[in-house]
Amino acid sequence: THAISFCEAVTHSDPGNHVLHYGGGGAPTTIIVGLICFEKASLKPVTQLLPDLILVRAEQARSVALHTTFQLLAGEMTELTPGSEVVSTRLAEVLFIQALRAHISNSPQTCDPGWLRAIFDPNIGAALQGFHAAVADPWTVESLAFAAGMSRSAFALRFKQVLGQSPLEYVTEWRMQKAIQLLGDDNRKLSDIAQEIGYESDAAFNKAFKRVVGNTPREYVRQASLHP
């Protein structure tokens, strides 16, 4: 038989049913289709940090965990018992993380420069972990290199290769990302947000925010309220 598009097969299914059965006679294949939404505002869409396609082969070491999660997810979607929606959502999140792990562990050198590759790099990942745990600390290239267990020059070069930007560019961008999330809380003062992400004055925070985001924190909040 000739292959047909998935969309065409769906048009022949029951719209109220989450499970589509199609074909027959050959070896059974289970396809799980899902959608993950990221609600928080971001300087960079998450999709820019991910590859267009992740292929996990059955013989890969992490495929056992993936196979188990697939089975659990398929069972929840088929039976639709009370609580299936909540369980399916959590399993989908686990599956997403497992797929990323498999992708990195099997092709660490072929991943494009960026955050996804950096967090799995032993040295750069250690520096990022230290920074993320204490964003407000007065981080420098030297202190980040120390957290990574590398010399300053070697760390700066490796960081640029893995992430595609300098260490301090990353520090500033991540702080602005955190600031964007904190600005969503109407009860937070700008001075408190500035201190929480490592700026001693509102002026320094405003200057850095405008340089990275394109407008001041107050302008950003105003625009966000007009376009929720």
Side-chain angles (χ1 to χ4, degrees), residues 77-222:
M77 295 304 297
T78 301
E79 298 176 7
L80 292 179
T81 55
S84 288
E85 184 176 350
V86 176
V87 175
S88 297
T89 299
R90 297 295 176 265
L91 287 173
E93 294 171 352
V94 171
L95 185 63
F96 176 71
I97 295 172
Q98 289 175 338
L100 293 181
R101 285 176 173 175
H103 174 67
I104 292 295
S105 64
N106 286 280
S107 55
Q109 301 304 320
T110 59
C111 295
D112 293 333
W115 182 79
L116 183 60
R117 179 178 172 185
I119 59 175
F120 286 93
D121 183 278
N123 299 101
I124 303 302
L128 294 182
Q129 184 177 4
F131 166 61
H132 293 163
V135 175
D137 287 1
W139 291 97
T140 62
V141 178
E142 288 80 3
S143 60
L144 287 168
F146 179 80
M150 302 174 67
S151 68
R152 184 188 186 282
S153 58
F155 171 76
L157 178 61
R158 177 64 179 163
F159 197 98
K160 184 77 172 182
Q161 291 173 338
V162 173
L163 270 150
Q165 59 185 159
S166 71
L168 294 186
E169 285 174 342
Y170 178 87
V171 167
T172 301
E173 188 175 281
W174 189 269
R175 284 172 170 169
M176 295 309 106
Q177 175 64 65
K178 187 174 180 63
I180 286 176
Q181 297 177 5
L182 295 174
L183 286 170
D185 186 350
D186 296 335
N187 298 320
R188 301 297 296 273
K189 296 181 179 179
L190 289 181
S191 57
D192 294 337
I193 294 177
Q195 292 183 359
E196 187 166 341
I197 63 173
Y199 290 89
E200 296 181 355
S201 68
D202 292 0
F205 170 49
N206 274 278
K207 183 178 180 180
F209 192 93
K210 186 170 184 178
R211 184 177 74 253
V212 175
V213 180
N215 46 29
T216 66
R218 294 189 185 280
E219 290 171 345
Y220 178 87
V221 172
R222 190 180 304 114

Side-chain angles (χ1 to χ4, degrees), residues 11-32:
T11 59
H12 300 294
S13 66
D14 181 0
N17 193 351
H18 290 83
V19 180
L20 164 67
H21 296 281
Y22 187 84
T29 299
T30 300
I31 300 176
I32 300 175

